[in-house]
Amino acid sequence: MLLFQAAFSQEIIRLVNPSFEAEPAEGRLNGPMPKGWIDCGFPLQSTPDIHPVQNSLFGVDTPPRHGQSYLGLVVRENESWEMIGQPEIDYSIENQLFISIFVPGFIVSSKD
């Protein structure tokens, strides 16, 4: 008789404000960010747009799929892009898998 047993431990990482709820605003230098999120973008570049913005510069008029707002991240011609993060997440936990997806630049990184 063959017996196979596997044990996996898992820690749940809870995001603060995962739906990016915030007052709608166009991105600008040192602009507002949703509660719990920080701007990780390039120096001297704008923060993400918090949609839906009335008369958006980019013509975005899509309603939120969840909650009241969502983020719009851009990639620029100067090879910079908008990024966000949460400072409360502890990425130093051993034996955990973390995946970061940066949609605008189509960069996927992970930590085993």
Side-chain angles (χ1 to χ4, degrees):
M1 178 175 195
L2 179 62
L3 180 64
F4 178 78
Q5 181 178 356
F8 298 94
S9 67
Q10 181 172 304
E11 182 172 334
I12 296 172
I13 298 174
R14 300 203 186 279
L15 296 176
V16 175
N17 190 12
S19 294
F20 311 112
E21 296 301 322
E23 191 69 32
E26 287 191 349
R28 62 180 183 273
L29 188 61
N30 300 317
M33 291 292 297
K35 180 181 178 184
W37 294 92
I38 58 171
D39 179 20
C40 300
F42 290 75
L44 303 177
Q45 298 292 332
S46 64
T47 56
D49 293 336
I50 304 170
H51 292 288
V53 175
Q54 295 292 331
N55 302 315
S56 169
L57 176 67
F58 295 105
V60 176
D61 59 3
T62 305
R65 296 183 83 185
H66 180 269
Q68 300 299 312
S69 60
Y70 61 94
L71 290 184
L73 303 170
V74 300
V75 175
R76 301 180 188 93
E77 290 181 359
N78 67 1
E79 297 185 12
S80 69
W81 54 90
E82 294 172 348
M83 297 179 281
I84 62 169
Q86 289 204 344
E88 293 84 8
I89 296 175
D90 181 3
Y91 290 103
S92 66
I93 301 170
E94 291 187 30
N95 301 318
Q96 298 293 317
L97 173 65
F98 298 97
I99 298 174
S100 300
I101 300 174
F102 302 97
V103 176
F106 300 100
I107 299 169
V108 177
S109 64
S110 64
K111 175 186 177 293
D112 288 324

